Amino acid sequence: MSEDTIAAIATPPGEGGLAVIRISGPHALAIADRVFQPAGSRARKPSEAPTHTLHYGFVHRGGRRIDEVLLAVMRRPRTYTREDVVEISCHGGLLVARLVLQAVLEQGARLAQPGEFTRRAFLNGRLDLTQAEAVADLIAARTERALAAAREQLEGGLSRKLHRLRDDLMLALAHLEAQLDFPEEDIAPDTREGILQRLQAGLQLVEELLRSAEEGRILRQGIRAAIVGRPNVGKSSLLNLLLGQDRAIVSPRPGTTRDTIEETANIRGIPVVLVDTAGVREAGDEIEQEGIRRSHRAVETADLLLHVFDRSEPWTPEDQQLWEWFRHRKRLLVLNKADLPCRLVLPPSDEPRVEISCRTGEGLERLKTCMENLIWSGTAPRAEAPEACINARHQAILLRARTALEHALGALHDQLPLDLVAVDLRAATDAVGEIVGQTATEDLLDIIFSRFCIGK
Ligand code: GDP
Ligand code: ZN
């Protein structure tokens, strides 16, 4: 349990209807007593109030009334941090909130670091590390599917699997260690067999978890899709259509999109960063060349290309050049201007294609389906309901666990001495413990929680 009491503005900076100042720690109630004047004759001081109650009154600082507030008293352990927590809702506006925070700090609280409330929730055993990480995912989620996956992880969907895995491995390790004192010839063959089966089951679960890494990456970071094609085919129009708003400049004159434009669209629950490129082509003036350089970079780093063609115009040498450039990329061929008569003949190819009209919106749903299929192609089949997915940290550790388990299985198979098997098995068990935070170092916690915002 922490010695000091922390405080922070928990709401985002800027003006708003309300701002919330959060206080957590052993002195939260005493500090609240000193800054808060309850209204009404029968009102009680925060330290005398029952837990989970709301109080109306005023915050004072240096004898002056700062704001009219609602103050929530939440006594440990049923709180976010498992410490005493006080939350003061004051009027929105940065100055008001800052003055309330200042009053709280002057009465003995310390300004919280990013993620420190959640870090305390973790240290006090309310959340394990994967759940704490899910809090950050939840806040950062940009689509409902990403949100649902984060919520599932926060509620322990991933933790339960990992704890079960760790328990199984520890049991196998216990069996194994019980045998270590006996000479090798005294070990019953079915003991070896039993341990073997447990390890195989463990390895299977590790593989299953590893398969969710790609979906986790896609949901957390989104994917980058670059819109390419010669000028005037409708790239900016396509961006606007996918975003459902007029963000990019659409113009009948070629080369208007001077720079790359990036916007995140929600394509069937996947955050897709769409990059409109300034026509990947030669020459032009200084500004245009810079735009072209940026386009090249955008195209190189994209996970997916939307290669747009104007199907109302015949094939051009420029189309041909771009066709060759991008033929080995993961791309969707988008045949735009389907509202006009068709004059385009595409070279033969078995790449996915879709006809669309950015003018009428016809074909938009088909385009989204094609994008969705292409994005998930090559990843594991997904459940209907979003499930918790591992993140990059979990993946790195699980890869280690997998190697250790494979070594342990190999050693068992080759009838090597059991203490060699035990070394690998212990490494695998420790790795799984590291994911949930059973063996977390301060450095690791610093890295994880520094990604949070202040007040969370
Ligand atoms: P970009 O240079 O590839 O970004 O192309 P724009 O999006 O700026 O579009 C070029 C021109 O084509 C504009 O005049 C658009 O209004 C027009 N355009 C775009 N999509 C369609 C479409 O589906 N049908 C028709 N008829 N015109 C379109
Ligand atoms: Zn454009």
Side-chain angles (χ1 to χ4, degrees):
M1 216 37 77
S2 308
E3 295 288 302
D4 57 350
T5 297
I6 53 173
I9 301 173
T11 37
E15 290 179 20
L18 283 177
V20 174
I21 288 85
R22 195 181 224 181
I23 315 168
S24 175
H27 309 297
L29 293 166
I31 291 169
D33 278 355
R34 295 199 284 270
V35 302
F36 178 71
Q37 174 70 54
S41 52
R42 294 174 54 210
R44 274 181 288 191
K45 294 200 290 188
S47 64
E48 289 164 5
T51 187
H52 292 77
T53 53
L54 201 58
H55 308 269
Y56 172 69
F58 303 94
V59 168
H60 288 265
R61 176 170 177 245
R64 288 216 351 253
R65 184 180 279 189
I66 299 173
D67 197 15
E68 179 189 23
V69 303
L70 277 179
L71 181 144
V73 170
M74 290 166 281
R75 294 171 185 277
R76 72 192 175 90
R78 284 199 309 122
T79 68
Y80 185 66
T81 54
R82 284 204 171 158
E83 302 174 331
D84 285 344
V85 171
V86 171
E87 285 177 7
I88 304 175
S89 308
C90 63
H91 284 108
L94 204 50
L95 186 59
V96 179
R98 278 209 194 130
L99 288 174
V100 173
L101 176 64
Q102 204 53 48
V104 168
L105 296 178
E106 282 163 8
Q107 294 303 327
R110 164 173 74 69
L111 185 65
Q113 284 165 4
E116 199 170 0
F117 292 91
T118 309
R119 187 175 184 147
R120 288 190 172 191
F122 164 70
L123 291 173
N124 295 330
R126 199 177 91 85
L127 303 169
D128 77 7
L129 208 47
T130 68
Q131 290 173 304
E133 289 173 303
V135 172
D137 289 342
L138 195 84
I139 292 170
R142 283 175 291 177
T143 68
E144 315 86 62
R145 194 176 175 98
L147 185 64
R151 199 182 301 119
E152 174 64 19
Q153 185 173 327
L154 179 59
E155 284 166 3
L158 188 55
S159 307
R160 278 190 293 278
K161 286 185 189 168
L162 290 164
H163 282 285
R164 184 152 45 82
L165 174 61
R166 188 162 182 268
D167 290 347
D168 282 353
L169 295 180
M170 290 219 291
L171 209 60
L173 191 60
H175 273 285
L176 214 151
E177 279 173 340
Q179 304 295 324
L180 288 182
D181 300 331
F182 297 102
E184 193 73 14
E185 55 270 21
D186 290 349
I187 298 168
D190 57 338
T191 305
R192 234 175 224 284
E193 191 56 33
I195 295 172
L196 200 73
Q197 276 171 9
R198 256 179 221 287
L199 294 198
Q200 265 155 355
L203 186 59
Q204 225 166 5
L205 186 51
V206 170
E207 301 276 5
E208 184 192 309
L209 287 166
L210 278 170
R211 278 195 290 273
S212 74
E214 183 64 6
E215 178 171 4
R217 190 184 71 82
I218 290 171
L219 289 180
R220 286 188 184 90
Q221 298 173 14
I223 69 133
R224 292 176 65 81
I227 305 176
V228 299
R230 68 171 167 81
N232 234 23
V233 291
K235 295 183 296 298
S236 305
S237 306
L238 179 64
L239 176 74
N240 291 338
L241 184 67
L242 284 168
L243 292 174
Q245 67 192 53
D246 279 346
R247 172 65 176 80
I249 315 152
V250 179
S251 124
R253 200 162 47 80
T256 312
T257 313
R258 275 291 174 80
D259 212 332
T260 55
I261 293 176
E262 279 193 33
E263 292 281 347
T264 305
N266 179 348
I267 307 290
R268 305 272 164 85
I270 309 161
V272 178
V273 181
L274 294 166
V275 190
D276 184 8
T277 59
V280 186
R281 61 210 166 86
E282 308 304 317
D285 57 34
E286 279 285 304
I287 307 168
E288 196 152 274
Q289 280 186 4
E290 175 53 25
I292 288 166
R293 266 193 294 278
R294 277 188 231 224
S295 293
H296 276 286
R297 259 199 311 279
V299 170
E300 276 161 22
T301 58
D303 304 293
L304 169 71
L305 302 185
L306 300 178
H307 195 159
V308 187
F309 299 90
D310 182 345
R311 84 191 254 301
S312 71
E313 296 278 336
W315 188 253
T316 70
E318 204 172 357
D319 282 324
Q320 182 64 35
Q321 188 186 27
L322 296 178
W323 175 269
E324 296 297 335
W325 270 4
F326 300 137
R327 68 178 312 155
H328 298 298
R329 298 288 302 267
K330 189 173 183 174
R331 74 174 164 182
L332 177 61
L333 309 175
V334 182
L335 309 181
N336 188 32
K337 310 198 187 180
D339 54 300
L340 300 176
C342 182
R343 295 171 63 202
L344 183 72
V345 182
L346 225 56
S349 137
D350 49 14
E351 292 167 280
R353 67 178 68 187
V354 64
E355 303 214 340
I356 185 170
S357 166
C358 291
R359 174 152 296 169
T360 65
E362 183 211 325
L364 177 61
E365 290 310 312
R366 258 179 299 146
L367 172 75
K368 287 186 178 173
T369 304
C370 284
M371 287 177 70
E372 188 188 15
N373 291 340
L374 207 55
I375 291 167
W376 293 129
S377 71
T379 71
R382 285 153 308 113
E384 259 316 300
E387 285 192 50
C389 306
I390 63 168
N391 65 25
R393 183 182 75 87
H394 310 153
Q395 186 185 22
I397 301 174
L398 280 175
L399 286 171
R400 255 199 285 132
R402 180 171 73 182
T403 306
L405 277 177
E406 284 167 351
H407 283 169
L409 276 166
L412 268 178
H413 197 264
D414 296 346
Q415 308 277 324
L416 295 180
L418 289 184
D419 46 356
L420 284 180
V421 181
V423 172
D424 285 317
L425 185 49
R426 199 169 296 118
T429 312
D430 287 348
V432 178
E434 198 179 321
I435 300 178
V436 291
Q438 249 137 359
T439 52
T441 63
E442 285 295 309
D443 289 350
L444 174 65
L445 296 184
D446 285 346
I447 292 169
I448 289 176
F449 289 104
S450 64
R451 283 200 284 253
F452 280 64
C453 38
I454 288 194
K456 193 66 211 180

